[in-house]
Amino acid sequence: MAEKPGLPRNVWVTGWVSFCMDVSSEMVYPLVPLFLSSVLGVNKSVIGLIEGVAEATASILKLFSGALADRFGKNKLLMGLGYGVSTGSRAILATAGGWGAVFGSRFVDRVGKGIRTAPRDAIVAASTPPEIMGKAFGLHRTLDTLGAVLGPALAMLVLFFYAGDYRLVFWLSIIPGILAVLLIVLFITADGPVPSERRSFIWSAKEFDGRFWSFILVVGLFSLGNSSDAFLILRAENAGVSPVWVPGVYLGFHVVYALVAVPGGMLADRFGKRRFILLGFVLFSAVYAGFALASSPWQVAGLFALYGVYMGLTDGVQRAYLATIIPPERRATGYGIYHTVVGLAILPASLAAGLLWDHVGPAAPFWYGAVFSAAAGLLFLVLILKKQLAVRP
């Protein structure tokens, strides 16, 4: 029996880059909604607006960044630029005196994410043999998530000794961001293939087949109910979790995510990626229904852990599945389209969540998300069955 190939160097380095940046990002992210609501007195609708616009901006840039990467073969350059921009946004946040500056920081941070995400995923996909694609993306999500474990832990430690000093956490988060940029510059060895012929920057929908667009439709429907995780953090506080311990429950989510991602990717390689994607929609609906019903800190902590199971089983698997249905020469563009649709949908999803919270109640945003996830799962199942029926003789 032939020996299975090991994971390439670029996959490992890219994973450690994401580890460092997620230490930086997740030191900050669970504190931003608390900083906005508790320190600056911002209501939930404005928080939804900030998160939605920031993510939508990132999403538009992901499309253009992916197209540029395919056009010029500059995955490494765009990846490094994106991580550098996000690192710089932390200084804006640390000096913010009002919600406008926080919005500016989130905007700049998401611009960086928009620039880097598609080229980064393209580097992973281009470096990996098809038979271990799920494992490669699972490893990347694991390292990324381990950074997201360490980030809240560091934030919680700082707040334990310096209670309420959110700004100190924001300043310290710059350090791991700088390390991420240095790893890209020094250790990413391949910039991506340089196109043999000049390709137009403007892509055509005909370059992607029906499988791709059907999956994008499903993901778009799901994302319309998948509001910013800021609302999960606000729900934790609403259910009685102390602000000092909010990073702790968020840390628990990432611990579970990290533990599940690689086994989840390997199981998806063996038993079928589409099955795990469908399972993810069911699990998301259950978790969000649970958040709608939760009334105690312990229930919220358990739901964050279950949310980590959902993310571990599906996040990397969706990207691995995309690698099987995107033309190799348009890989970064395809990932850009995927991330664009996901992120653009966060704007209406987060606006709806904020309005529902303010005008209906804290449970309403989560019932809303559970319904959209169930609808996406049904649509995905219908499309799978339709394809199977179409190929029968």
Side-chain angles (χ1 to χ4, degrees), residues 156-376:
M156 191 165 57
L157 184 64
V158 173
L159 292 177
F160 180 80
F161 289 105
Y162 301 92
D165 196 347
Y166 296 131
R167 297 182 193 276
L168 176 60
V169 178
F170 299 158
W171 281 118
L172 291 174
S173 70
I174 295 174
I175 297 171
I178 293 173
L179 291 176
V181 176
L182 289 175
L183 283 172
I184 295 167
V185 173
L186 297 176
F187 297 108
I188 293 290
T189 56
D191 205 21
V194 178
S196 58
E197 61 182 45
R198 292 289 183 179
R199 292 185 171 270
S200 171
F201 177 80
I202 301 174
W203 51 268
S204 169
K206 294 179 181 179
E207 295 176 312
F208 303 94
D209 65 19
R211 294 175 304 163
F212 175 80
W213 291 116
S214 294
F215 186 62
I216 292 299
L217 176 63
V218 170
V219 168
L221 178 62
F222 166 76
S223 299
L224 285 172
N226 186 15
S227 57
S228 168
D229 284 352
F231 290 98
L232 299 179
I233 294 165
L234 293 170
R235 184 67 170 133
E237 184 186 37
N238 172 260
V241 179
S242 166
V244 174
W245 287 101
V246 166
V249 296
Y250 200 62
L251 182 153
F253 151 65
H254 284 295
V255 168
V256 176
Y257 183 2
L259 292 173
V260 172
V262 169
M266 294 173 70
L267 287 170
D269 284 336
R270 181 174 179 180
F271 295 108
K273 298 175 182 63
R274 291 182 300 182
R275 292 179 181 176
F276 276 75
I277 292 169
L278 185 59
L279 173 63
F281 292 133
V282 175
L283 190 54
F284 183 94
S285 291
V287 169
Y288 260 51
F291 272 108
L293 297 169
S295 58
S296 73
W298 290 110
Q299 291 173 343
V300 168
L303 287 165
F304 265 96
L306 193 57
Y307 188 54
V309 173
Y310 154 75
M311 289 293 289
L313 288 177
T314 61
D315 192 26
V317 172
Q318 286 193 6
R319 302 180 197 209
Y321 175 65
L322 278 168
T324 68
I325 60 176
I326 298 174
E329 67 275 10
R330 286 299 194 185
R331 192 167 269 140
T333 304
Y335 280 114
I337 294 170
Y338 164 77
H339 288 298
T340 296
V341 169
V342 170
L344 283 177
I346 289 179
L347 176 54
S350 296
L351 285 173
L355 291 170
L356 287 168
W357 186 302
D358 285 336
H359 297 289
V360 180
F366 301 100
W367 287 122
Y368 172 82
V371 169
F372 269 87
S373 181

Side-chain angles (χ1 to χ4, degrees), residues 28-48 50-51 93 98-100 102-103 166 170 230-238 241-243 246 357-358:
V28 168
Y29 185 74
L31 300 181
V32 169
L34 302 181
F35 182 66
L36 284 165
S37 62
S38 302
V39 178
L40 302 181
V42 176
N43 64 34
K44 307 303 184 294
S45 299
V46 173
I47 293 173
I50 291 171
E51 289 297 318
L93 182 60
W99 72 263
V102 176
F103 173 79
Y166 296 131
F170 299 158
F231 290 98
L232 299 179
I233 294 165
L234 293 170
R235 184 67 170 133
E237 184 186 37
N238 172 260
V241 179
S242 166
V246 166
W357 186 302
D358 285 336

Side-chain angles (χ1 to χ4, degrees), residues 41-109:
V42 176
N43 64 34
K44 307 303 184 294
S45 299
V46 173
I47 293 173
L49 175 66
I50 291 171
E51 289 297 318
V53 171
E55 292 293 344
T57 301
S59 301
I60 294 170
L61 285 170
K62 287 171 186 176
L63 176 59
F64 287 100
S65 177
L68 282 171
D70 284 336
R71 172 78 162 87
F72 299 106
K74 296 297 181 182
N75 290 323
K76 177 179 175 179
L77 175 63
L78 289 169
M79 183 180 169
L81 176 63
Y83 279 101
V85 169
S86 291
T87 299
S89 73
R90 310 288 187 257
I92 302 173
L93 182 60
T95 56
W99 72 263
V102 176
F103 173 79
S105 172
R106 289 289 294 144
F107 180 85
V108 172
D109 177 53

